[in-house]
Amino acid sequence: MDAFGKYKTVVSARATDKKILKKSQDGGIVSAAFIYGLENGLLDGVIVADNAGEFKAVPKVATTPEEVLEAAGTKYTVCPNISVLKSAVREYALEKVGIVGTPCQIRAVRKLMKYPVGFRHTDSKIALTIGIFCMENFPYMGLKTIVEEHCGVKMEDVVKMDIGKGKFWVYTKWGETKAIKLKETHPYEQIACHVCTDYTAELADISTGSVGSPDGWSTVFVRTTKGEEFFNKMVEDGYLEIKPIEEVKPGLGLVEKLALTKKEKNTKEIEHRKELGLPVPY
Amino acid sequence: MVKVAHVQLSSCCGCLVSLADTYEKLLDILNSIELVYCQTLMDVREIPDNLDIILVEGSVCLDDHHALELAEEVRKKAKILVALGACAATGGVTRFCRGNQMSKPVHSSFSPLTEVVKCDLAIPGCPPSPEVIVNVITAALNGDAEYLQPFAELAEKGEACGCDLLYKVVNKSLCMGCGTCAAACPTRAIEMLDGRPNVLKELCIKCGACSVQCPRIRFPKLIEEIE
């Protein structure tokens, strides 16, 4: 089974801008790429997941580096990013849109680019897609239950959440850190995630996630010609520093392991659903 | 040269406008086909025989024998019969109109073309986007059956609408909340509530754009081929 899908290069990277690193989840790749795109005219607007307070995620069209920074950081809940794509083109009059999304959202973007049934003059305005590694997602109330019931932290006190080293971590504004085993969060997962076999956002121009790289760095897959041009320029202009993936710990092996785990487990679930006569995406 | 005709039944011309909205691509299309019949654009009164592709826009008024005859005529004359747009594909506003309009003669007397004669392809949407019309015509010219498969399936079934999202996706725990349906909707009938589509029945015109666009109902393998 092919773990990663098609890609040109894979590296470990992080943003060079301290402001980005301070706000970002890991290496700040998405923020750095979008800010680079906006500052250098490669993008004139981007769709990001903003924190609407208490980690409620809402899609936002950002047209300035400040707005991108405000939305930095992972929100472990559903955010319908594609829902604002048409308004980004129509209402913000954007010609070169960047969009970040989970693997399933990137697949949705690819579908609308190939089959633009209801996307009049929109698909051609998508300039860059960045996908983020994703094992599963939580509906907001599920996330709230994890944080409040299991971690014992009020949602309003949370400044950052993270998944890593087999645990779900919550950081509070009082400087506390709480963690529970990832296993405890499984019942709150979005069931729809169980038929998805894409861990590394295989259809994005660039995909990124913390897994495989050291703390504060991200693993980056550059997949398409468009993504490659953008990424190379960004590195040349000093927005990112990169290291060969072979030289970092824990390395690509861990990404492969997780990607294959998701594929195998969810392929089984798809087969199971088929046996029961339940529909699956086909 | 491939012979193409555009035929209008009960419709608003929006699908034709959408076809014309392809701008410079329209010239490419017109260069690669021979447009032999199109009442809005040219002065030909009779649909010629033996055509390769006939695009039909609009639904069939069952109270009007001319419309029924026309439906049979296009079926006989076309190698590939395309139901273009929601009215021809699923019924759209001619059956499910909104905004306190009085339809004439009566709502119930309209049927989409797909229910009256066998169509080879159906393109949903009100109107379908210019890009998808170009894609379908190009794929039909090139005999790209793989690309056309979802449109062929819709022509069989003749139904697609916002309800599909609730029955086939949300109700089957398949919705992951990407929001594609909300963006695809031409009437803004879909809002995303807690990461799930909420279809406002007051606004939905059952054009099918949302459900056809949903990656969790249909995800043709060829989408995975990225450059």
Side-chain angles (χ1 to χ4, degrees):
Chain A
M1 205 180 268
D2 174 25
F4 305 132
K6 199 173 148 187
Y7 67 94
K8 290 175 187 284
T9 48
V10 52
V11 293
S12 193
R14 76 171 173 192
T16 49
D17 190 339
K18 294 280 178 299
K19 276 208 305 284
I20 295 177
L21 288 177
K22 210 174 146 199
K23 284 253 2 195
S24 64
Q25 188 76 12
D26 298 290
I29 310 298
V30 181
S31 306
F34 282 171
I35 289 173
Y36 174 72
L38 292 174
E39 286 181 346
N40 294 278
L42 297 171
L43 303 172
D44 51 16
V46 295
I47 297 172
V48 291
D50 198 16
N51 185 345
E54 303 192 8
F55 281 80
K56 277 195 191 97
V58 284
K60 178 171 91 169
V61 181
T63 52
T64 63
E66 292 74 32
E67 285 175 313
V68 174
L69 265 189
E70 265 171 42
T74 308
K75 293 104 209 150
Y76 291 94
T77 184
V78 183
C79 186
N81 280 9
I82 325 289
S83 66
V84 298
L85 178 59
K86 217 194 252 168
S87 90
V89 173
R90 302 266 171 85
E91 286 155 41
Y92 292 74
L94 304 181
E95 292 283 334
K96 290 169 280 185
V97 186
I99 182 160
V100 59
T102 50
C104 55
Q105 293 179 331
I106 300 297
R107 295 177 92 79
V109 173
R110 285 289 173 196
K111 179 170 177 184
L112 74 88
M113 288 167 87
K114 207 93 154 193
Y115 287 92
V117 176
F119 281 85
R120 190 183 198 87
H121 303 315
T122 307
D123 57 297
S124 56
K125 308 287 197 288
I126 299 167
L128 184 75
T129 55
I130 304 186
I132 39 186
F133 298 177
C134 173
M135 192 59 92
E136 71 275 312
N137 204 349
F138 303 104
Y140 184 75
M141 290 316 283
L143 182 72
K144 195 171 162 139
T145 311
I146 294 170
V147 172
E148 301 201 331
E149 306 289 326
H150 291 257
C151 299
V153 175
K154 272 192 183 164
M155 217 53 182
E156 61 196 56
D157 295 339
V158 181
V159 287
K160 185 173 177 171
M161 295 176 198
D162 202 4
I163 289 177
K165 302 176 181 75
K167 285 184 173 170
F168 184 95
W169 304 78
V170 177
Y171 302 90
T172 72
K173 60 181 172 193
W174 319 112
E176 286 173 303
T177 306
K178 292 276 174 73
I180 55 163
K181 284 199 181 123
L182 213 43
K183 214 175 150 188
E184 284 181 58
T185 68
H186 291 335
Y188 303 100
E189 283 164 10
Q190 180 169 246
I191 301 299
C193 298
H194 295 171
V195 294
C196 171
T197 56
D198 189 350
Y199 176 63
T200 56
E202 293 172 20
L203 305 185
D205 291 315
I206 296 172
S207 39
T208 182
S210 68
V211 176
S213 290
D215 287 349
W217 289 71
S218 297
T219 304
V220 182
F221 285 92
V222 180
R223 297 184 182 276
T224 61
T225 313
K226 204 195 249 179
E228 191 177 38
E229 272 173 29
F230 192 98
F231 187 79
N232 290 350
K233 272 191 226 158
M234 199 162 110
V235 176
E236 274 166 35
D237 290 353
Y239 277 69
L240 284 185
E241 51 178 320
I242 58 171
K243 281 184 190 172
I245 193 78
E246 298 77 23
E247 289 173 19
V248 300
K249 292 259 160 86
L252 212 51
L254 184 62
V255 192
E256 189 178 12
K257 191 181 144 199
L258 292 178
L260 289 176
T261 306
K262 183 170 182 182
K263 275 181 200 286
E264 279 156 20
K265 194 176 85 190
N266 292 354
T267 304
K268 253 187 225 161
E269 174 62 25
I270 290 170
E271 291 308 318
H272 179 61
R273 282 185 69 112
K274 278 187 193 160
E275 272 171 32
L276 292 174
L278 290 170
V280 286
Y282 70 104
Chain B
M1 198 75 118
V2 175
K3 286 185 182 166
V4 179
H6 171 270
V7 174
Q8 201 171 2
L9 288 163
S10 302
S11 79
C12 68
C13 242
C15 300
L16 182 69
V17 171
S18 202
L19 171 67
D21 246 359
T22 48
Y23 303 122
E24 69 275 21
K25 279 190 192 154
L26 179 64
L27 298 176
D28 290 344
I29 296 176
L30 290 178
N31 278 335
S32 56
I33 62 169
E34 190 184 340
L35 189 66
V36 293
Y37 178 89
C38 179
Q39 280 195 325
T40 318
L41 300 178
M42 56 201 290
D43 189 20
V44 176
R45 301 301 168 95
E46 292 274 323
I47 304 172
D49 292 330
N50 295 325
L51 300 184
D52 296 292
I53 302 173
I54 301 186
L55 303 164
V56 180
E57 149 179 3
S59 57
V60 186
C61 179
L62 303 176
D63 290 344
D64 175 8
H65 70 94
H66 296 291
L68 288 163
E69 283 156 18
L70 194 56
E72 280 176 8
E73 188 185 348
V74 290
R75 178 59 281 178
K76 260 186 234 142
K77 289 181 172 175
K79 274 193 204 129
I80 302 174
L81 183 59
V82 185
L84 175 65
C87 294
T90 64
V93 285
T94 55
R95 286 209 290 198
F96 207 74
C97 91
R98 291 302 193 208
N100 205 18
Q101 300 169 51
M102 293 296 282
S103 58
K104 290 288 179 187
V106 277
H107 266 155
S108 57
S109 65
F110 289 94
S111 271
L113 186 68
T114 49
E115 282 179 12
V116 178
V117 292
K118 189 189 176 313
C119 295
D120 301 296
L121 302 169
I123 311 177
C126 184
S129 74
E131 293 88 347
V132 85
I133 300 176
V134 172
N135 289 357
V136 168
I137 294 177
T138 314
L141 291 177
N142 298 334
D144 185 352
E146 195 187 354
Y147 183 82
L148 296 175
Q149 188 56 33
F151 302 104
E153 284 169 23
L154 185 66
E156 278 292 294
K157 162 175 85 153
E159 248 170 48
C161 77
C163 306
D164 292 355
L165 298 173
L166 305 179
Y167 289 128
K168 296 184 178 168
V169 189
V170 178
N171 217 13
K172 301 289 188 291
S173 288
L174 287 175
C175 178
M176 74 302 193
C178 65
T180 308
C181 49
C185 178
T187 63
R188 299 185 189 226
I190 301 176
E191 52 183 5
M192 295 301 288
L193 282 183
D194 296 327
R196 295 289 177 266
N198 183 39
V199 184
L200 304 169
K201 61 180 190 307
E202 297 82 359
L203 294 174
C204 177
I205 52 167
K206 292 191 178 281
C207 75
C210 55
S211 60
V212 168
Q213 203 78 76
C214 175
R216 283 298 172 96
I217 289 183
R218 187 77 168 89
F219 196 85
K221 202 78 187 140
L222 64 98
I223 296 171
E224 292 181 3
E225 291 159 18
I226 57 172
E227 39 81 81

